[in-house]
Amino acid sequence: MKIKLATLIAATFSLSLSAAAFADSNMGNMKMDGMKMDATSSSAKAADLSDATVEKVDSASGMITLKHSALANIHMPAMTMAYKAKDAQMVKQAAVGEKVKVKVENVGNTLEITTLEKAQ
């Protein structure tokens, strides 16, 4: 029995979307009573941060170019890329050549630096 590659790909894609939709629709049914969910703990926060070096700061556009390690929370490999800073204060803090810890998040379909700290 021959199956066309396009048909197989379409069926696989359809199943993945269905599984994702099922998971999203059932997340509200999860019981989390008794679970410790302290999002402000320093160990959770430190795990979210990635190592980076500030390569360029553009205060006019509010962009900071980072050479960073993998950004696990958004599934991005290590690379050099410009990101929108959360606010003007963050842009003022950033200095070219500085080693930092960052968190980049997808905010309204824009990759934005939400946390920028000097590396210890």
Side-chain angles (χ1 to χ4, degrees), residues 63-116:
M63 303 289 282
I64 300 173
T65 302
L66 300 171
K67 181 176 183 178
H68 60 78
S69 61
L71 304 173
N73 65 309
I74 57 172
H75 310 290
M76 183 173 280
M79 66 176 65
T80 300
M81 186 170 161
Y83 298 95
K84 184 76 175 160
K86 177 176 73 173
D87 54 42
Q89 185 63 30
M90 188 178 285
V91 175
K92 289 177 187 176
Q93 282 182 279
V96 173
E98 184 174 50
K99 303 286 184 196
V100 294
K101 297 277 191 178
V102 297
K103 182 170 186 182
V104 176
E105 297 181 78
N106 185 342
V107 178
N109 289 327
T110 299
L111 293 179
E112 182 177 290
I113 303 168
T114 56
T115 303
L116 182 117

Side-chain angles (χ1 to χ4, degrees), residues 1 4 7 10 22 28-29 38 56 74 78 90 94 102 107 118:
M1 179 171 148
K4 290 185 177 182
T7 303
F22 176 79
N29 297 331
D38 184 9
K56 181 179 176 183
I74 57 172
M90 188 178 285
V102 297
V107 178
K118 290 184 181 185

Side-chain angles (χ1 to χ4, degrees), residues 4-100:
K4 290 185 177 182
L5 182 58
T7 303
L8 184 59
I9 291 170
T12 303
F13 183 70
S14 176
L15 285 172
S16 347
L17 288 178
S18 297
F22 176 79
D24 287 346
S25 67
N26 286 296
M27 290 301 287
N29 297 331
M30 291 179 62
K31 301 284 186 214
M32 295 189 188
D33 299 337
M35 291 181 70
K36 291 184 179 181
M37 305 277 296
D38 184 9
T40 60
S41 72
S42 60
S43 61
K45 184 178 179 186
D48 290 343
L49 300 179
S50 299
D51 295 320
T53 302
V54 177
E55 296 288 313
K56 181 179 176 183
V57 179
D58 185 347
S59 55
S61 66
M63 303 289 282
I64 300 173
T65 302
L66 300 171
K67 181 176 183 178
H68 60 78
S69 61
L71 304 173
N73 65 309
I74 57 172
H75 310 290
M76 183 173 280
M79 66 176 65
T80 300
M81 186 170 161
Y83 298 95
K84 184 76 175 160
K86 177 176 73 173
D87 54 42
Q89 185 63 30
M90 188 178 285
V91 175
K92 289 177 187 176
Q93 282 182 279
V96 173
E98 184 174 50
K99 303 286 184 196
V100 294

